[in-house]
Structure formats: structure tokens, C-alpha cells
Amino acid sequence: MRTPQDCVIHLPIRYEDETQLHRIASARVGQTVQLEGEISYNEVQLRPRRQLVALLRDDTGSIFLRWLHFYPNQQKQVSKGQLVRVRGEIRSGFNGLEIVHPRVSRAGGALASTFTPVYSTTDGLTQPVLRKIIGQALESADLSDTLPDTIRHRFKLMPFAQAVRTLHYPPTQTTLSSLEERSHPAWQRIKFDELLAQQLSLASARALRLEQTATPLNANHEPLFNALRERLPFALTRAQERVINEISQDLSRAYPMHRLLQGDVGSGKTIVAAFAALKAISSGAQVAVMAPTELLAEQHYHKLQAWMTPLGVQVQWLSGSQKSKNKQQVLGSIAGGETQLVVGTQALIQTSVEFHCLGLVILDEQHRFGVGQRLALGQKGEQQVSHAPLLPHQLNMSATPIPRTLAMTLFADLDVSVLDELPPGRRAVVTKLVADSRRQELIAHIHSEIQKGRQVYWVSPLVEESEALQLQTAVDTHAYLQQTLPDLSIGLVHGRLKSAEKTEVMEAFRSGEISLLVATTVIEVGVDVPNATLMVIEHAERFGLAQLHQLRGRVGRGAEQSVCVLLYQPPLSAIARQRLRTMYETTDGFEVARRDLALRGPGEFLGLRQSGVPLLRFADIETDTALVEQAQSLATELLSNARDIAQVHLDRWMKGKHVYLRS
């Protein structure tokens, strides 16, 4: 918080009711109360640990007060016979009701006239000091309304100044529930303002993109398209054909494409990306495909090379682990324009990489890159023509389906294509929850499946033993399974293996030489082995929903019925139970994503964890859909007819965060 304006919109996270006194007899467990009475007993107990215990009485009963850490002045404050006012949460203790570490003051003082705000703070900044700073800011900050009265009345919005004053100093008639649930009109105004600023920023980003220039990639692509279709061992789905057409139209335009291609695991995004690449290559442009992990990038490379090389397209691979001599050859080929399609990891954004004519950037699992990384790859293709930069087109791919509310808020500046049907012959994966106590039974089932000619994944969360998390590890699991199932060929793959070793193991699994593959989450995305029909995820309670769904998507890629076993260690936390229940109840990626969003919040979908920028401080895109829609319509209106109002509103709320929403 640097300015009075920052302090004004540093709003309370909760409130305490210090406007009334409670009687001890009416206090209930879990309730936060304010009591007054006399200290009738005070003792420092040494067992079971050193602690200060006091007994508070009023004319209706008594309650214990307990401090596990205390100072001499606190001891003096609650000495026998003192009349005190205490505040805290009622708990059930060994000797009856108690308050642990209550706040203590003298009895008889004036009661607060409004609910007491509690703010998020940091070490060394106390609540009273923060309240004083914010109180002073409310007197000096500009609280003028950014929205004209006509707009406020249309959307039934409280004036801004009244809203912030109400939230910092709630009137006595305000109900605590309306403040805590953020349903009070003051909260509605703040949430609307925040969403409007976000929608204005996204709409501005989109308008800016439409003003930018890109090379239209509109040469005749049909010969290459037809040649690839003829070589494919499968027919494209209607959804794939539709999306290929949408991307082709975008690439033909003179402003940069910024399209998000989303589809559930196994929906066939890679082949769509291949057609997009051919569209660019047919116009003489280079294409860069960047994936977040070396294993995934390598999978894309092998697939794209198999499809493209017979068509006369030169495909190259670039990663950080490449030997220097080989890397220099690849870099020279990219800079000279001989390489038409390059696939790689973050190595693509290193300063040594120069493109001859980069026309299309394809980012897979785009939310796993930081904002800066996404911007950097696009900047590789910038060319200066007549004082105006020519930007490359950009296709973002995600196997994490974006819920509608998230698409409306965080991705409103993107064009979105959805692959909403799986290739024919695919069957939904059956998910089973199995407690760790049934491990031997599961291993016997694995042996039986492999005897039938099937292949199995076993995923562990760690590579080697961790003192912090005593989990079954990939290395230990591999050794144990080799000992338990000596007649099977069992492989091990994890992120610490060298690239060549990973490739060798994966190739052996793909060809059927290895029947059981023990792995960490390096196989989360991109690995495609149709004969693998069983997936075991060890300590499934430790994984996030998106990761569990991605891992489950590694099976079910052939015609046979596949099963995903979530092996868990009881007892489960409430969140872990919700995650596992979701996986058991649905295989729909959109429903999984919706529930994941409710559990985790939106930051990870946009890849903003690395930037540390909170996207929405006050609004909740799951519950405030109606406000999102209103803000979206007003943003369009203001940018068309009242840009001055839009700018003033953006200045108050965004403060330079626009760039994070433009990548």
C-alpha cells in the first residue's frame, strides 16, 4: 500500500462484533463472544505444560481462560479480583468451556458503535495501527465516483464513497452475515468495480490486438492439408474440422491470432496444431511449438516429425539438455530459415535463438508457463516493417478445460475453440478408489491384467524418500514391484533421468517391451500408449484435481475398457475427500475444471502464480456470474462511447497490471 487510494481499497477480510456483551451462561462452543466479569482464580500450571489459567465469573456462570504463551503483565492483568472484559472463541476444554488466548481489556469501557474490521496484515503492522492508517486515508483519498449516476442507477449500485465507508465502518443496523458473505450492497459495488476494471482491461487488450499487424498466412494450403489427411490412420472428428477451419481463417487475417484451443485429454489437440502449422508453413512462415516439460515436448516432436517429414517439412528439436554441437546446428538452421517447424521447451526463448521468419507460435499447456515466458516467445517473431512491428500469430492449447465463468473473465480477450467430442471408439475411463490396505490385492490384479497382454502405469508423487512427506516413492515402488512381480518387465521414468534415458524407457513401454511403468508425474501429459489400460496413482490424496484428471487421461486411448485406480492413504482431509469424490463421480473435464476452480481459485489457470499478481481480490467468478455479465456489457459500451470514463476507472483499479492479461 503506497497511496491513500491503495489504503481505501484494502478492505476487511472479516469483522468482530464488539458492539454487545454476552452472558457466560449463553455462550456456545464455536461462538466468538465478548464477556465481562471478575477473575476468581489465577494460576500458572506446569503440567501437562507451562500455561496460565484463570477463571472468569459473572452472575450467570464461569468460564476458564487459558494462555499457552504469556508475559508477566498478562498475568497481572488477570490477577484475582480484577474486573475485566475478554473476547475470543468458545472452545470445549478438559474442565468445561474455555477461551484460549482471549483478548483482555478493562471492564466497563464504552462498547464499539460499529463492527470492528479485521484486515490482512504483515509482521510488525498491528490491527490498531492499520485501522488508523486506513481511517486517515479515507479522509484524504479521492473517493469521487468513476461511474456517472445514470450508470449507477441502471445497475442499482451504491455510490463508491458510501460503499468503502460502509465496509470499513459498518453501521450498527448492518447484519454481520451480509458482510461476511459479501452480499451487502457495498460489497456488490466493490465487486462490480473490480470486474468492470478487469473487463475493460481485457477488452482494451483485444482492441489493441486488432490494431496490431501480422503477416496474413493465406497461401493455398490445400495440397499440404490433403497430403496429411491421406496419411493419417484415422478420420478427423467434426469438432477437429471445425476448429481447423476457425484457425485457418484467423491466420489469413492481417492482425495476430490469439486463440485458445481447449479440449479434454485425448480429444486430439496435437493433430489440430499440426494443421495450423501446415497453414503457416504453406505461406513460407516458420512455426515454434513450446511445451512445459522435455518429455511432453519430445512427444510432440516425434508425432509432428512422423506427420510432417513425409510432406517435405523440416522439423527440428531444441531443448536445454542438447549437446552444444548439435544445438549450434539447429540454431543455425532456425536462423537461416531451413527449419520450418521447431519443437522445444523453454530453450526456445533463450537469447541465442533467432528465427528467420516466425509466423506462428503454438503453446501447449499454456497455463503452466509464466506470463513472461509466454510474452518472450511471441517477441521472438516481432519484425519491424515501416515503423510498425509485425507480430506472430499465437495458438494456446490447454487440456484443462476452462469453465464458462473463467472464460468470460480471464480469457475474454481470446478467441476460444473447443474440441467437444472425443475420437470415435474411445470409452470413458472407469475410476476406482482403493485404500492403501488393499495394495496386495491390487498388485495381484495388475499381474492378471498384464498376463492378458495389457500394460499398466503406476504413478508415485516423489522420486526419492522425503523427510517432509513420508510417501511411497517411485524408486522404492519400482524396487518393490520388481521383487514382488519378478516375471514382469518393469520400467522406471522420472524427471531426474537424462533425456536420452527417459526416451529409451518410454520407447520400450510404447513398443511393449516394458509391461509395467513406474513413473512420477512426468507422464502427466502427452504420453500416448493405446495398449495401457490400467493406471494406478499412488497417494492420490496428494495430487490436485487437474493433475489427477490429466494422469487419468493417459489410459483409455485404445478400444479396450480402461481403469484408473486412485490408491489413497486414510484418513483423508476434507479437500482430499472432495477431490477423490469428484474423480469418482465424473470423467467430464469441464465439470472437473469447474470443481477444481471452486477449490483452488483462478490463478493457476492463467499461469499467474509465478507473477504473484492476485487476479480478483473481492469478486468470486463462480458465484458472481451475473455481475460478470453486467460488467462485460458495460465495458463494451464504455470503450465505444465513453473512453474517458473507462480510463479513470482503470487508473483506480488496475495500476499497470494490464500486461498480465495480454499474454
Side-chain angles (χ1 to χ4, degrees):
M1 297 189 289
R2 292 185 174 87
T3 67
Q5 193 69 42
D6 295 334
C7 298
V8 163
I9 56 175
H10 186 71
L11 296 171
I13 50 173
R14 60 185 174 84
Y15 298 86
E16 291 181 346
D17 184 2
E18 297 181 348
T19 63
Q20 58 181 312
L21 291 172
H22 298 81
R23 313 302 285 164
I24 291 175
S26 66
R28 298 289 176 265
V29 173
Q31 185 182 10
T32 298
V33 297
Q34 188 165 242
L35 308 170
E36 274 193 356
E38 182 182 349
I39 300 294
S40 62
Y41 163 84
N42 169 310
E43 182 186 21
V44 175
Q45 297 179 352
L46 300 178
R47 293 186 178 181
R49 57 175 292 179
R50 189 171 184 273
Q51 57 186 345
L52 172 62
V53 177
L55 187 68
L56 178 74
R57 289 186 183 278
D58 69 7
D59 55 8
T60 67
S62 62
I63 189 169
F64 283 95
L65 311 176
R66 191 153 60 96
W67 289 263
L68 304 175
H69 310 284
F70 56 94
Y71 300 100
N73 64 327
Q74 286 174 299
Q75 211 173 331
K76 186 178 177 183
Q77 202 176 19
V78 289
S79 55
K80 187 175 179 181
Q82 289 287 348
L83 294 174
V84 295
R85 177 180 296 174
V86 301
R87 177 173 179 77
E89 183 183 337
I90 302 292
R91 297 186 185 182
S92 180
F94 289 115
N95 301 313
L97 296 184
E98 66 176 17
I99 301 176
V100 178
H101 286 281
R103 205 166 74 225
V104 181
S105 58
R106 287 183 183 177
L111 293 170
S113 57
T114 68
F115 295 131
T116 305
V118 178
Y119 300 94
S120 61
T121 186
T122 189
D123 283 350
L125 183 61
T126 64
Q127 290 293 330
V129 170
L130 193 48
R131 287 185 196 118
K132 184 178 178 183
I133 291 169
I134 290 170
Q136 290 169 345
L138 283 166
E139 299 307 314
S140 61
D142 174 15
L143 301 185
S144 59
D145 223 300
T146 56
L147 302 180
D149 291 348
T150 51
I151 289 176
R152 281 201 307 98
H153 295 322
R154 193 202 320 170
F155 293 104
K156 300 182 174 63
L157 298 172
M158 179 183 280
F160 176 75
Q162 184 186 346
V164 290
R165 289 188 188 282
T166 297
L167 293 175
H168 288 297
Y169 304 115
T172 47
Q173 66 270 27
T174 311
T175 61
L176 198 56
S177 61
S178 71
L179 293 171
E180 290 176 341
E181 293 164 13
R182 298 194 172 183
S183 59
H184 190 279
W187 271 123
Q188 295 297 301
R189 170 61 201 264
I190 296 301
K191 291 193 285 187
F192 182 88
D193 273 17
E194 180 182 44
L195 288 166
L196 176 60
Q198 187 197 46
Q199 290 299 317
L200 284 169
S201 182
L202 289 166
S204 299
R206 184 181 178 85
L208 182 67
R209 179 166 58 84
L210 297 181
E211 291 171 7
Q212 291 171 332
T213 53
T215 303
L217 306 175
N218 51 17
N220 182 17
H221 58 265
E222 287 303 328
L224 282 176
F225 273 30
N226 293 337
L228 179 55
R229 278 195 179 92
E230 286 168 14
R231 297 191 62 84
L232 293 177
F234 53 85
L236 297 176
T237 64
R238 285 172 301 180
Q240 286 170 326
E241 293 283 13
R242 183 189 73 243
V243 172
I244 289 167
N245 187 49
E246 288 171 352
I247 292 169
S248 294
Q249 289 178 2
D250 281 1
L251 293 176
S252 299
R253 297 187 174 118
Y255 56 84
M257 172 179 79
H258 206 193
R259 186 169 285 276
L260 173 67
L261 168 58
Q262 58 169 324
D264 214 340
V265 283
S267 59
K269 294 180 294 299
T270 309
I271 190 62
V272 171
F275 277 96
L278 284 179
K279 169 76 175 173
I281 290 164
S282 65
S283 296
Q286 290 173 298
V287 179
V289 179
M290 188 163 81
T293 67
E294 200 156 296
L295 188 62
L296 176 54
E298 209 163 346
Q299 293 282 327
H300 282 320
Y301 170 65
H302 290 305
K303 270 190 181 180
L304 291 167
Q305 188 184 44
W307 289 331
M308 300 289 197
T309 304
L311 307 181
V313 174
Q314 185 172 329
V315 184
Q316 288 282 13
W317 159 252
L318 188 68
S319 79
S321 63
Q322 265 174 312
K323 289 182 179 173
S324 181
K325 186 179 178 183
N326 185 18
K327 186 182 280 188
Q328 290 307 315
Q329 289 175 339
V330 173
L331 291 174
S333 174
I334 295 169
E338 293 86 21
T339 294
Q340 296 161 288
L341 173 61
V342 58
V343 184
T345 58
Q346 288 92 329
L348 288 170
I349 60 175
Q350 291 173 353
T351 53
S352 57
V353 182
E354 291 183 10
F355 288 87
H356 176 68
C357 181
L358 181 60
L360 173 63
V361 168
I362 299 174
L363 293 170
D364 194 19
E365 292 301 304
Q366 57 88 33
H367 64 287
R368 291 173 60 169
F369 291 107
V371 173
Q373 292 171 320
R374 299 206 294 265
L375 287 168
L377 186 55
Q379 287 162 357
K380 289 278 181 189
E382 285 191 19
Q383 302 170 56
Q384 204 70 25
V385 179
S386 302
H387 307 293
L390 275 178
L391 301 175
H393 298 276
Q394 185 170 317
L395 176 64
N396 304 300
M397 299 198 296
S398 177
T400 304
I402 312 299
R404 176 176 170 268
T405 48
L406 196 58
M408 286 171 64
T409 49
L410 306 186
F411 294 93
D413 65 322
L414 293 177
D415 298 304
V416 180
S417 291
V418 181
L419 290 175
D420 50 10
E421 60 179 310
L422 291 177
R426 289 277 172 88
R427 298 167 70 178
V429 177
V430 173
T431 302
K432 295 187 176 180
L433 307 182
V434 176
D436 189 65
S437 56
R438 296 174 60 196
R439 180 181 292 265
Q440 293 306 317
E441 196 181 320
L442 175 61
I443 290 172
H445 177 67
I446 287 171
H447 191 269
S448 164
E449 283 296 295
I450 290 173
Q451 293 300 321
K452 295 175 190 172
R454 308 274 180 260
Q455 286 171 278
V456 179
Y457 292 102
W458 186 299
V459 179
S460 289
L462 294 171
V463 179
E464 293 166 359
E465 190 60 60
S466 158
E467 291 178 15
L469 297 172
Q470 296 296 317
L471 309 181
Q472 195 76 16
T473 68
V475 174
D476 289 347
T477 301
H478 178 250
Y480 175 76
L481 290 172
Q482 276 186 319
Q483 188 181 352
T484 312
L485 303 168
D487 58 324
L488 299 183
S489 172
I490 304 174
L492 172 65
V493 65
H494 55 73
R496 294 185 194 172
L497 287 179
K498 290 180 179 174
S499 182
E501 292 175 295
K502 274 189 281 194
T503 304
E504 188 181 336
V505 175
M506 289 310 305
E507 210 46 60
F509 187 60
R510 205 176 285 108
S511 65
E513 290 174 46
I514 291 174
S515 50
L516 171 55
L517 180 66
V518 179
T520 57
T521 54
V522 292
I523 58 111
E524 181 185 343
V525 285
V527 181
D528 191 358
V529 182
N531 191 46
T533 57
L534 177 60
M535 161 76 70
V536 178
I537 304 175
E538 178 113 41
H539 283 286
E541 74 277 6
R542 294 282 180 175
F543 292 89
L545 256 180
Q547 207 167 32
L548 288 172
H549 185 61
Q550 289 283 352
L551 288 167
R552 177 169 62 183
R554 297 307 103 213
V555 292
R557 293 176 166 258
E560 296 296 326
Q561 179 64 65
S562 291
V563 176
C564 177
V565 174
L566 303 180
L567 192 61
Y568 66 90
Q569 183 90 51
L572 294 173
S573 68
I575 287 183
R577 199 176 299 116
Q578 281 178 279
R579 287 193 197 121
L580 298 188
R581 186 186 298 128
T582 295
M583 291 296 294
Y584 178 75
E585 289 175 350
T586 182
T587 56
D588 179 352
F590 280 93
E591 177 58 20
V592 170
R594 189 191 68 76
R595 297 195 198 182
D596 193 25
L597 178 64
L599 284 172
R600 279 195 304 157
E604 202 154 316
F605 282 91
L606 200 57
L608 275 181
R609 281 190 311 170
Q610 297 95 323
S611 73
V613 177
L615 293 166
L616 291 171
R617 291 163 59 190
F618 310 119
D620 182 329
I621 59 178
E622 272 290 282
T623 56
D624 294 323
T625 311
L627 285 177
V628 172
E629 290 172 348
Q630 290 176 349
Q632 202 171 40
S633 68
L634 181 58
T636 305
E637 180 186 323
L638 292 179
L639 287 172
S640 298
N641 307 320
R643 282 188 169 270
D644 54 335
I645 295 173
Q647 191 55 55
V648 169
H649 193 83
L650 276 171
D651 290 344
R652 170 172 281 167
W653 285 95
M654 292 306 287
K655 287 196 171 177
K657 294 175 190 170
H658 310 56
V659 65
Y660 294 106
L661 299 168
R662 288 180 181 171
S663 64

